[in-house]
């Protein structure tokens, strides 16, 4: 009888508490390769989500959601799960250019997304 193969489970570290997690799907705009935990803003004209950057002027400068699954849209826009509520670890978030953790924390608090 052969020995069983052992694997180490590394739990996901994005979640940070017991606040209810609400997940929905959204269109992630083309031309991005985003990790799980990316702080997203929504482009007003298209409704698509992009990595939130403070210098943007198309609506995506305001944090709206957190990406819940790594997504590569280099071949075109894709639908992906996003977190609308819940508690997350700040150390696991990806922030766009010019966006600070404090700014993201303040903006997302009103949406019931809490950053620890």
């Amino acid at each position: 009888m052969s020995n069983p193969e052992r694997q180490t489970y590394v739990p996901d570290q994005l979640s940070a508490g017991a606040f209810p997690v609400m997940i929905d799907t959204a269109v992630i705009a083309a031309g991005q390769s985003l990790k799980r935990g990316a702080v997203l803003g929504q482009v007003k004209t298209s409704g698509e989500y992009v990595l939130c950057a403070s210098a943007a002027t198309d609506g995506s400068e305001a944090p709206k959601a957190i990406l819940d699954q790594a997504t590569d849209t280099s071949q075109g826009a894709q639908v992906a799960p996003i977190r609308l509520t819940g508690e997350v670890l700040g150390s696991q978030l990806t922030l766009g250019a010019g966006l600070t953790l404090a700014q993201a924390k303040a903006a997302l608090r009103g949406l019931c997304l809490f950053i620890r």
Side-chain angles (χ1 to χ4, degrees):
M1 178 178 253
S2 64
N3 289 333
E5 184 178 318
R6 290 186 175 212
Q7 296 179 356
T8 302
Y9 172 71
V10 179
D12 179 316
Q13 296 298 313
L14 183 59
S15 294
F19 192 87
V21 175
M22 173 66 83
I23 294 180
D24 199 358
T25 57
V27 177
I28 309 301
Q32 305 177 91
S33 180
L34 301 173
K35 293 181 181 180
R36 184 173 193 222
V39 176
L40 303 174
Q42 188 175 27
V43 178
K44 288 179 186 176
T45 56
S46 67
E48 295 179 338
Y49 285 81
V50 297
L51 185 63
C52 186
S54 64
T57 58
D58 58 3
S60 65
E61 66 275 10
K64 295 288 184 187
I66 295 174
L67 187 63
D68 199 57
Q69 172 183 307
T71 305
D72 183 2
T73 61
S74 58
Q75 301 298 316
Q78 290 186 14
V79 174
I82 59 171
R83 284 186 185 221
L84 300 177
T85 65
E87 295 176 77
V88 297
L89 291 174
S91 62
Q92 300 301 308
L93 299 180
T94 301
L95 305 172
L99 184 66
T100 66
L101 190 58
Q103 290 169 325
K105 188 174 188 176
L108 293 171
R109 185 179 307 123
L111 302 173
C112 292
L113 270 166
F114 303 102
I115 299 173
R116 289 186 175 198

